[in-house]
């Protein structure tokens, strides 16, 4: 069940010509999740800074 | 971990080749796009019946994350369609109803942002979310009700999965993992909504 499905790292990246499709989806998901995580963290920090400002 | 398991340690599919590995991201995203909408619908009912403010905050906290997961589901499906169907887009029932879900998410976010009166916006949004929930069973059943290019469900609650366990276990793992990540995002988004909406309350000032 845990056997590496490819003969080399190159094969794992190329995936018999399907690598472009698979990796573009992986990158899309990674960027989306990271973008949202950073976005919300920055928004929370900004609102906290604003609330901490002396009037 | 499950995505790595699926990408590198599962065998190649006999028909689709390695492109099937997109399943480990496409299926969790699709599953969550619908689950998040249902969570919004439950929050809407809670808000309308019991007037729980937190439920209203949760609706608008979930919406952008739901839009993101639906966007991932649509794009990953389109990319998957190129090597398997020979086309990136088809106006079939499953894909079109998912596109409608994405437009609904964007519409709900825009509508909420266009109101200056938050309470009015929450009320209207809740009603619209409940009405829009009719699209969820349509998405789910579209592959059974209509002849579609999209395949029927491989995993159901009633039948034995039509997918081999070697591929099924990492898929289940990636759904659970994706679910956990999205819950973290929902918590962050909810925290922002609470701070934003309650910023004039004394307890918020004490908290920050």
């Amino acid at each position: 069940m845990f056997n590496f499905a490819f003969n080399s790292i190159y094969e794992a990246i190329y995936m018999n010509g399907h690598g472009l499709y698979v990796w573009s989806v992986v990158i899309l998901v990674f960027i989306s999740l990271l973008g949202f995580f950073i976005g919300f963290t920055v928004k929370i920090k900004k609102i906290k800074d604003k609330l901490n400002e002396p009037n | 971990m499950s995505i790595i398991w699926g990408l590198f340690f599962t065998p190649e599919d006999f028909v689709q080749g390695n492109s099937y590995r997109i399943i480990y991201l496409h299926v969790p995203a699709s599953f969550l796009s619908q689950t998040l909408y249902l969570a919004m619908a439950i929050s809407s009912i809670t808000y309308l019946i019991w007037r729980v403010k937190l439920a209203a905050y949760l609706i608008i906290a979930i919406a952008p994350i739901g839009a993101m997961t639906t966007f991932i589901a649509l794009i990953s499906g389109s990319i998957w369609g190129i090597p398997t169907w020979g086309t990136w887009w088809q106006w079939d029932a499953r894909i079109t109803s998912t596109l409608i879900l994405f437009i609904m998410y964007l519409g709900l976010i825009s509508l909420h942002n266009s109101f200056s009166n938050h309470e009015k916006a929450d009320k209207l949004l809740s009603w619209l979310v409940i009405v829009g929930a009719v699209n969820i069973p349509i998405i789910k059943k579209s592959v059974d009700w209509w002849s579609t290019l999209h395949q029927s469900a491989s995993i159901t609650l009633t039948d034995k999965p039509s997918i081999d366990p070697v591929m099924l276990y990492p898929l289940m793992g990636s759904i659970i993992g994706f679910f956990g990540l999205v819950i973290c995002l929902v918590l962050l988004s909810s925290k922002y909504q609470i701070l934003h909406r309650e910023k004039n309350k004394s307890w918020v000032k004490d908290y920050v």
Side-chain angles (χ1 to χ4, degrees):
Chain A
M1 189 171 269
F2 289 102
N3 292 330
F4 195 61
F6 305 94
N7 293 322
S8 65
I9 295 292
Y10 173 77
E11 256 189 38
I13 293 166
Y14 186 62
M15 290 187 177
N16 287 334
H18 290 157
L20 178 68
Y21 307 114
V22 176
W23 294 114
S24 53
V25 173
V26 171
I27 290 165
L28 168 78
V29 171
F30 182 75
I31 289 173
S32 304
L33 290 174
L34 193 69
F36 266 69
F37 181 80
I38 293 170
F40 286 130
T41 311
V42 168
K43 273 171 126 181
I44 289 168
K45 196 184 171 312
K46 269 187 185 169
I47 204 161
K48 276 185 174 178
D49 288 347
K50 208 174 172 186
L51 288 166
N52 278 326
E53 271 174 15
N55 291 323
Chain B
M1 287 294 285
S2 296
I3 290 168
I4 291 169
W5 181 6
L7 288 177
F8 297 116
F9 297 94
T10 54
E12 190 176 338
D13 184 71
F14 178 68
V15 179
Q16 298 184 39
N18 284 308
S19 68
Y20 97 93
R21 294 180 200 279
I22 293 173
I23 199 174
Y24 298 109
L25 297 159
H26 174 74
V27 170
S30 307
F31 171 75
L32 275 161
S33 65
Q34 295 162 50
T35 308
L36 288 173
Y37 197 92
L38 284 179
M40 280 171 65
I42 293 166
S43 296
S44 299
I45 293 166
T46 309
Y47 176 67
L48 289 173
I49 296 175
W50 292 290
R51 298 275 162 209
V52 181
K53 273 199 292 182
L54 268 178
Y57 299 167
L58 196 59
I59 301 166
I60 197 63
I62 292 173
I65 300 160
M68 182 259 286
T69 54
T70 314
F71 179 74
I72 291 173
L74 282 169
I75 298 294
S76 60
S78 289
I79 293 171
W80 196 0
I82 299 167
T84 49
W85 298 339
T87 179
W88 65 275
W89 189 262
Q90 186 77 32
W91 290 101
D92 91 342
R94 171 61 67 87
I95 305 168
T96 308
S97 52
T98 306
L99 179 67
I100 291 169
L101 180 68
F102 179 60
I103 294 167
M104 270 164 42
Y105 273 125
L106 294 184
L108 291 167
I109 297 164
S110 307
L111 186 79
H112 191 269
N113 292 342
S114 67
F115 273 81
S116 52
N117 184 334
H118 286 307
E119 272 187 34
K120 250 187 186 174
D122 292 338
K123 213 172 169 183
L124 184 65
L125 206 71
S126 302
W127 280 113
L128 285 174
V129 168
I130 292 167
V131 172
V134 75
N135 191 35
I136 300 301
I138 293 174
I139 296 174
K140 194 88 199 130
K141 286 283 173 191
S142 56
V143 285
D144 304 322
W145 290 343
W146 293 283
S147 172
T148 62
L149 194 57
H150 196 285
Q151 67 171 75
S152 53
S154 305
I155 311 164
T156 59
L157 288 172
T158 48
D159 299 322
K160 200 179 163 205
S162 58
I163 180 170
D164 192 273
V166 175
M167 295 166 178
L168 177 68
Y169 296 147
L171 179 60
M172 298 304 279
S174 60
I175 291 172
I176 295 165
F178 219 86
F179 195 83
L181 282 171
V182 164
I183 291 286
C184 291
L185 284 180
V186 169
L187 288 174
L188 272 178
S189 179
S190 305
K191 185 177 178 179
Y192 169 72
Q193 281 300 326
I194 294 167
L195 288 174
H196 177 66
R197 300 279 292 271
E198 301 278 319
K199 63 187 169 205
N200 296 324
K201 303 276 170 67
S202 60
W203 72 266
V204 173
K205 283 168 185 156
D206 293 340
Y207 168 73
V208 296

